[in-house]
Amino acid sequence: MTNFIVKKVAVLGAGVMGAQIAAHCINAKVPVVLFDLPAKEGPKNGIVLRAIENLKKLNPAPLGNKDDAALIEVANYEDDLAKLAGCDLIIEAIAERMDWKHDLYKKVAPHIAPQAIFASNTSGLSINTLADGFDAALKARFCGVHFFNPPRYMHLVELIPTTATAPAILDQLEGFLTTTLGKGVVRAKDTPNFIANRVGIFGMLAIIHEAEKFGLSVDVVDDLTGAKLGRAKSGTFRTADVVGLDTMGHVIKTMQDNLADDPFFPVYKTPEVLAQLVAKGALGQKSGAGFYKKVGKDILRLDFASGEYVAGGAKAADIVGRILKEKDPVKKMKAMRESTNPQAQFLWAIFRDAFHYIAVHLKDIADNARDVDFAMRWGFGWNVGPFETWQAAGWKQIAEWVAQDIAEGKALCNAPLPAWVMEVDGVHKPEGSYSAASNSYVPRSDLAVYARQVFRAPVLGAGAIDGRTAGVTVHEDESVRLWHMNDEVLVVSLKTKMHTLNSAVVAGLERAVAEAEQNYKGMVIWNADAAEGGPFSAGADLQEAMPAFMMGGAKAVDPHIRKLQDCFMRLKYANVPVVAAVAGIALGGGCEMLLQCSKRVAALESYIGLVEVGVGLVPGGGGLKEAVCRAAAEAKGNDILQFLKVGMLNAATAAVSKSALEAKAMGYLKEDDTIVFNIHELLHVAKTEARAMYDKGYRPPLQKLIPVVGRYGIGTFTAQLVNMRDGGFISAHDFKLGTMIAEIVSGGDVDQGSLVSEQYLLDMERKAFLELLNHPKTQERIMGMLQTGKPVRN
């Protein structure tokens, strides 16, 4: 085994993509140096410094913790090329001009270390042509590595070799991209715009063409082609505005310049409406106008006929909405094709156009159909890839309908479907996915990095194992599943909606701890929908407690809160390690649960917080108690108040981390908790941590008394809250909630330095929680949340 360790990365170009790629390397604790031209005025590295400063302002945030922007090393091409010698990976990310890139390559090539990988982040230029002029050694270490914008959040990276790229280089880079940066890697062929942009931009052009043909407005098209199709909720035209109409125009031009022999070439003509918008500087969101324009609070849409902006907000027709809700993909596609409604006909047309295109071009752009599906899912936010959609809707029938439309002149071009389409009965099978180039089914990559993914991203029809049913079930009911993979770690998966914590989940967790202590080395709390963006836990199930409250008031809820507290204490003091595998939202009770586990393994995109004040309550499951325990441990005899104030204000303001990195800074994650960048590796790492803790001789912490700040803390915190209330930052009821939180974390009306037990703090939490249940303002907040799902400010 030969390790490939990237000790340092250089990014050439501090534009939007280059700066954000550098930021994501810093997120992953990879040292990075960011280059650009020397500034003509001011500090010589001014261009890079401004780019780094801008990273702190962007939304969505490129950095998991904006303070880490200072860790990006700055450089320019005039003074600092020697720094390249210490880099194992150099990523070029300058503007999409072949001549500019070649000029830069001549400048940097002599400074690249003999073993370093050199890659271009081009979105569509030829990788082989970019490598022109390199010596043989550098050609073997050069490839394309196309990140999607924004790099922190978009899962896809396309890896594109030249004819001379050494296979080992690609394998090494794929491992680094997958585990360290958390990406889904698709290997693309060196064709214009590669896979995702090639298929995605064609799809957008086809949609514009069909929308004009069927007379549909941009807002209706976006409603039809967004979330209702399982795609990005911004739909088509709003997505174009976000990407930038000039950027879209550039990608289209790449196709125009390089695909003259493509049978779909006429479709690559820049739409007249797009050309007109770009000509007058209406470039989309960045210029304030594109296909949409915001005027005051109103979002206006472009009217194609008049060229003016008019009132928007139109939606899909009800009958088409019902068709799209059909769960059977065979029936859904048939209904769209046979409907006389223009919107339904439009939908069939864009599906037909996409199926026609990917069939004709599969051999040219990708090794197999799986890579096309992953490219569209990970790069364009589709829930289901185009080949998956085709196969699910009935491969043979769809093929016949597409062929019929081609023969009748309804398709966008008259190129026939390739012969292989009629010879197969689907492109995804358990043995692999169809390759038009080799006329065979290609299995998944067997690179060592994928052994870390217990459940790899599935492809419809490939028969992949599912985390909801895999392994050996020890116990399962409507709320939880206890299971294992014939190994030494018990896994607990929540099944409730949003993984809320009801009495059955509490009982399931108690049962799991007892089972793990008797038969396993450890226990992991992991949810099977983590990789699909599912939550860790949205907190306690308030709806379950409502009947008890209505029947017997707050006293009737007391046993439920006690059981929750006892359950979380059982997790904390279990005789085997309990590891929380956290991804997505972990709010309220969900946050309290992870706080009291032995260790946390969190995906980068974890959003953690004690948010009970949003429903007029205070944390009641030990969240405040844990803030006190952690502050006392961190203070190590110093003034605890300085360590406690962060936890107190987090709870009082319902602050939620915007990443796992920020969760560490906020104290929700400990410094030795593990952050995982690839969501598919979360379970593997969590189980590895549990086993390692057990093998090191794990013992639960000893219960001990905790020093508190008492009246001194209450007075200090209350003064802060008064300022927030009087400044209009919090309401009167927020002030009440804040003072109750301050009293609990301070340990109540006692002297500073008094020692209290965890149970004492839990009793204070529960008492305050129950008292608030009877408060009219809290009841307003709870009912508002249950009815609308949104917090009420009162």
Side-chain angles (χ1 to χ4, degrees), residues 493-621:
S493 298
L494 308 190
K495 295 171 57 182
T496 50
K497 184 177 181 182
M498 297 294 288
H499 305 146
T500 51
L501 307 170
N502 60 21
S503 55
V505 170
V506 168
L509 289 168
E510 295 266 14
R511 179 173 185 158
V513 172
E515 179 72 29
E517 287 179 333
Q518 186 171 346
N519 297 311
Y520 300 88
K521 283 188 172 182
M523 171 178 142
V524 169
I525 303 171
W526 172 85
N527 295 318
D529 59 356
E532 299 154 28
F536 178 71
S537 173
D541 185 350
L542 288 174
Q543 222 150 4
E544 186 196 44
M546 288 306 291
F549 177 74
M550 299 302 288
M551 293 283 290
K555 283 186 179 178
V557 180
D558 185 47
H560 294 274
I561 306 302
R562 284 181 185 271
K563 284 181 180 177
L564 188 70
Q565 291 181 341
D566 291 346
C567 173
F568 290 166
M569 287 287 279
R570 186 86 172 89
L571 296 178
K572 183 172 183 177
Y573 292 105
N575 288 303
V576 292
V578 177
V579 177
V582 184
I585 62 169
L587 304 177
C591 175
E592 292 176 304
M593 177 165 63
L594 69 87
L595 288 173
Q596 291 170 88
C597 289
S598 317
K599 191 176 182 71
R600 288 137 295 277
V601 173
L604 175 65
E605 301 309 330
S606 295
Y607 312 109
I608 304 170
L610 296 170
V611 296
E612 284 84 354
V613 296
V615 287
L617 296 167
V618 298

Side-chain angles (χ1 to χ4, degrees), residues 46 126 186 189 205 218 223 387 494 571 671 787:
S126 168
V186 164
K189 295 188 178 183
L205 290 170
V218 297
D223 190 49
F387 277 117
L494 308 190
L571 296 178
E671 196 52 46
Q787 289 169 3

